[in-house]
C-alpha cells in the first residue's frame, strides 16, 4: 500500500489484487450459472480490459470464445463523452450469447455505444459484466447484468486502467489523490555501509528528521524498556529484531515529530512486511516513501569496517566476525528483497558507497535532489 506518481499526478493504493481476484471469482460464478448450457462469446473492451479478460477466462471452466472491440472516450482523467469505434466485431454472432467484459462503467457512454453496435447483430442475448462500476455518475437507462465492485467517482489506474498511457501494469488499483507534502527517504544498505554517517550530513542539508533504528534500539536498551530488553536478546545473537518490535519503536519516534518536513529512515525498513507497514502508516497520513536510496558496498570491505568500529562501539555483535557474517546472511535472505519491493514502485536508487565520505555524500545528494 503506497502512493505512486504517474506523469504529474499522484495515486494512492485503493483496491488490492486479492480483492480484485475475489470480485472476478464472483463474476465468473454468476456468468457460468447463466451460460453453462451454451458456449458464450466473451467480448472485451480494449485497452483497459485486457487483464480483466485474461483473469476472467482463466477462471471460467466452461466452453467459451473470446474476442475484442476497441473504443476510446478518455483524455487524461476526464471522459470526453464522445465514443469512437476503432476496431469492430467481425465474428458471426447471430443466435449467440455475447457477454461484454468491461473494466469500468461510469457515465454509460461506452455502454450505450456497445448496445448500438450489437442492436442489429441478431444475438440470442447480450449481457454486460463490469469489474468496476461508478453508480454516482451513471447517466443511462441501460441494464448491467453483473457488477464486480462499485466505487465512488474518483479516477483510478492500475489493473489495465491508465493515466495517459501509464499505470496499466500495476496489479492493484490506485486512486487519484493529492500530492504528498513530506519527503521521506529510506537510506538503505548492509551493516557498516555508512548510512548513519551520511544521514547526519543529509538531514541538515535537506531539513529532514533522521530516525536511526540503531539509535532507537540503544535508547530503549539503555533505559531498559520492555521493547529494549526484548530487542537486546536478538541483537546479541547477531539476528535482526522481529518486525513487530521494530515497528512499534519507529512509530513512536515518528509521532515525536509531528511538524517534520520529512524523514530519513536509517536501518528501517529491513523486511518487506516492515516496508508494507510503513507504507500503510504513511498512507493513512496522506504521505508516502519518496524513494529508497541504497549504498552499495562489497561485503568483505564492510566486515572490516564493522570490526574496526567494534573496537570503540563496545557492541558485542561488532566484535565477532561470525556474528557479523550472520548479520549479512540475515540481510541477504530477508532485507535484500526490499530492492525488488521498491523497484516495483519505481522508487529504488542504487548509489556507489565506496570512496571518500564527501564523494559519497555528493552522489547521494544528486539522488536526493530529484526526490
Amino acid at each position: 500500500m503506497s502512493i505512486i506518481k504517474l506523469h504529474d499526478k499522484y495515486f494512492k493504493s485503493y483496491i488490492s489484487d486479492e480483492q480484485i481476484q475475489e470480485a472476478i471469482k464472483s463474476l465468473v460464478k454468476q456468468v457460468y450459472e447463466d451460460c453453462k448450457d451454451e458456449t458464450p462469446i466473451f467480448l472485451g473492451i480494449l485497452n483497459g480490459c485486457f487483464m480483466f479478460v485474461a483473469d476472467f477466462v482463466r477462471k471460467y471452466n466452461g466452453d467459451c470464445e473470446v474476442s475484442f472491440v476497441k473504443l476510446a472516450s478518455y483524455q487524461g482523467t476526464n471522459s470526453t463523452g464522445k465514443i469512437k469505434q476503432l476496431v469492430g466485431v467481425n465474428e458471426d454472432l447471430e443466435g449467440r450469447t455475447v457477454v461484454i467484459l468491461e473494466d469500468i462503467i461510469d457515465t454509460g457512454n461506452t455502454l450505450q455505444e456497445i448496445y448500438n453496435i450489437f442492436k442489429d447483430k441478431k444475438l440470442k442475448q447480450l449481457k454486460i459484466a463490469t469489474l468496476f462500476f461508478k453508480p454516482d455518475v451513471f447517466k443511462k437507462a441501460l441494464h448491467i447484468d453483473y457488477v464486480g465492485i462499485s466505487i465512488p467517482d474518483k479516477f483510478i489506474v492500475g489493473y489495465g486502467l491508465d493515466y495517459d498511457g501509464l499505470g496499466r501494469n500495476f496489479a492493484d488499483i490506485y486512486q487519484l489523490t493529492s500530492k504528498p507534502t513530506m519527503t521521506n527517504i529510506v537510506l538503505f544498505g548492509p551493516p557498516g555501509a555508512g548510512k548513519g554517517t551520511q544521514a547526519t550530513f543529509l538531514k541538515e542539508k535537506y531539513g529532514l528528521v533522521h530516525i536511526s533504528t540503531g539509535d532507537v534500539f540503544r535508547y530503549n536498551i539503555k533505559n531498559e524498556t520492555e521493547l529494549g530488553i526484548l530487542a537486546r536478546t536478538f541483537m546479541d545473537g547477531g539476528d535482526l529484531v522481529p518486525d513487530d518490535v521494530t515497528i512499534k519503536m519507529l512509530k513512536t519516534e515518528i509521532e515525536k515529530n509531528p511538524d517534520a518536513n520529512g524523514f530519513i529512515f536509517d536501518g528501517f525498513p529491513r523486511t518487506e512486511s516492515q516496508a508494507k507497514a510503513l507504507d500503510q502508516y504513511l498512507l493513512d497520513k496522506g504521505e508516502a516513501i519518496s524513494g529508497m536510496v541504497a549504498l552499495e558496498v562489497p561485503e568483505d570491505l564492510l566486515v572490516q569496517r564493522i570490526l574496526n568500529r567494534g573496537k570503540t562501539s563496545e557492541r558485542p555483535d561488532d566484535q565477532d566476525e561470525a556474528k557479523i557474517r550472520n548479520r549479512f546472511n540475515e540481510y541477504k535472505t530477508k532485507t535484500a528483497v526490499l530492492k525488488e519491493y521498491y523497484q516495483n514502485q519505481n522508487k529504488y536508487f542504487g548509489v556507489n558507497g565506496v570512496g571518500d565520505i564527501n564523494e559519497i555524500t555528493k552522489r547521494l545528494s544528486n539522488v536526493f535532489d530529484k526526490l
Side-chain angles (χ1 to χ4, degrees):
M1 305 292 284
S2 63
I3 293 177
I4 60 172
K5 182 181 181 182
L6 299 175
H7 295 302
D8 60 332
K9 298 191 182 298
Y10 294 82
F11 299 83
K12 65 180 180 180
S13 297
Y14 180 46
I15 302 173
S16 70
D17 179 49
E18 291 78 10
Q19 291 173 293
I20 293 170
Q21 297 305 319
E22 284 300 315
I24 295 175
K25 287 181 182 179
S26 177
L27 289 172
V28 167
K29 182 178 179 180
Q30 295 175 63
V31 173
Y32 179 76
E33 285 299 314
D34 291 343
C35 302
K36 60 185 176 182
D37 295 327
E38 55 186 305
T39 303
I41 296 180
F42 295 132
L43 184 65
I45 309 300
L46 295 171
N47 286 332
C49 77
F50 70 97
M51 294 179 77
F52 174 39
V53 172
D55 285 342
F56 184 99
V57 172
R58 279 196 291 263
K59 291 179 173 61
Y60 193 84
N61 293 323
D63 292 335
C64 64
E65 297 178 19
V66 182
S67 189
F68 294 90
V69 63
K70 185 171 183 178
L71 308 169
S73 64
Y74 267 93
Q75 292 181 350
T77 61
N78 297 308
S79 177
T80 64
K82 299 178 180 179
I83 306 298
K84 180 180 180 181
Q85 182 177 347
L86 302 179
V87 179
V89 178
N90 299 317
E91 292 86 350
D92 181 8
L93 302 177
E94 184 174 351
R96 302 290 302 276
T97 291
V98 172
V99 180
I100 302 296
L101 298 180
E102 260 281 37
D103 51 350
I104 186 169
I105 293 177
D106 43 32
T107 62
N109 292 327
T110 300
L111 184 59
Q112 180 67 71
E113 183 65 19
I114 289 170
Y115 274 104
N116 292 338
I117 290 171
F118 291 101
K119 65 181 180 181
D120 297 324
K121 298 292 184 179
K122 299 181 181 179
L123 304 181
K124 175 182 178 182
Q125 58 181 338
L126 176 66
K127 290 182 175 292
I128 308 297
T130 183
L131 180 55
F132 302 111
F133 176 52
K134 295 182 178 179
D136 294 341
V137 293
F138 188 64
K139 301 177 180 179
K140 307 292 184 179
L142 302 172
H143 183 64
I144 302 174
D145 299 272
Y146 316 101
V147 173
I149 303 173
S150 293
I151 61 174
D153 183 30
K154 290 189 177 182
F155 190 77
I156 59 174
V157 298
Y159 198 71
L161 297 163
D162 75 305
Y163 167 49
D164 283 350
L166 298 183
R168 296 189 191 276
N169 56 308
F170 294 114
D172 298 341
I173 289 292
Y174 291 78
Q175 186 183 77
L176 186 65
T177 189
S178 57
K179 179 180 179 180
T181 60
M182 300 171 67
T183 300
N184 296 308
I185 308 294
V186 173
L187 191 56
F188 190 66
K195 299 185 296 297
T197 300
Q198 293 299 329
T200 299
F201 295 118
L202 296 168
K203 72 175 183 179
E204 298 296 334
K205 182 175 182 177
Y206 294 97
L208 303 175
V209 175
H210 174 212
I211 295 184
S212 165
T213 304
D215 290 343
V216 173
F217 284 172
R218 283 186 284 274
Y219 171 83
N220 282 272
I221 290 170
K222 181 179 179 180
N223 290 275
E224 297 185 338
T225 66
E226 181 179 350
L227 290 175
I229 294 171
L230 181 59
R232 182 60 180 266
T233 62
F234 292 95
M235 294 173 65
D236 285 349
D239 297 321
L240 294 177
V241 176
D243 291 347
D244 59 338
V245 177
T246 304
I247 291 168
K248 289 177 182 177
M249 288 185 182
L250 269 292
K251 285 184 178 180
T252 299
E253 292 302 311
I254 293 173
E255 295 299 332
K256 291 179 181 179
N257 300 276
D259 299 322
N261 295 322
F263 296 90
I264 296 176
F265 296 100
D266 168 9
F268 181 86
R270 290 189 176 184
T271 65
E272 185 172 343
S273 61
Q274 287 182 3
K276 290 180 177 179
L278 180 59
D279 276 347
Q280 184 60 60
Y281 176 73
L282 293 173
L283 183 63
D284 292 341
K285 297 176 175 293
E287 302 294 341
I289 291 297
S290 305
M292 166 186 270
V293 183
L295 289 167
E296 300 175 342
V297 187
E299 180 177 325
D300 288 341
L301 177 58
L302 292 175
V303 170
Q304 190 58 49
R305 280 187 189 177
I306 295 172
L307 287 171
N308 290 334
R309 183 177 72 184
K311 297 175 182 178
T312 57
S313 70
E314 298 183 356
R315 286 177 53 179
D317 56 328
D318 280 354
Q319 300 168 5
D320 186 324
E321 182 170 345
K323 291 183 178 180
I324 295 172
R325 295 287 182 182
N326 185 50
R327 286 160 65 187
F328 278 106
N329 290 334
E330 290 277 350
Y331 172 82
K332 291 175 182 177
T333 57
K334 296 182 179 179
T335 311
V337 298
L338 288 176
K339 179 177 181 179
E340 180 178 358
Y341 178 81
Y342 285 106
Q343 280 179 329
N344 289 338
Q345 299 182 34
N346 298 318
K347 293 181 179 181
Y348 179 85
F349 304 89
V351 175
N352 181 5
V354 179
D356 179 80
I357 291 177
N358 292 331
E359 293 177 353
I360 299 171
T361 302
K362 184 176 180 180
R363 294 172 199 156
L364 290 169
S365 296
N366 289 337
V367 175
F368 272 51
D369 289 341
K370 299 174 183 178
L371 301 177

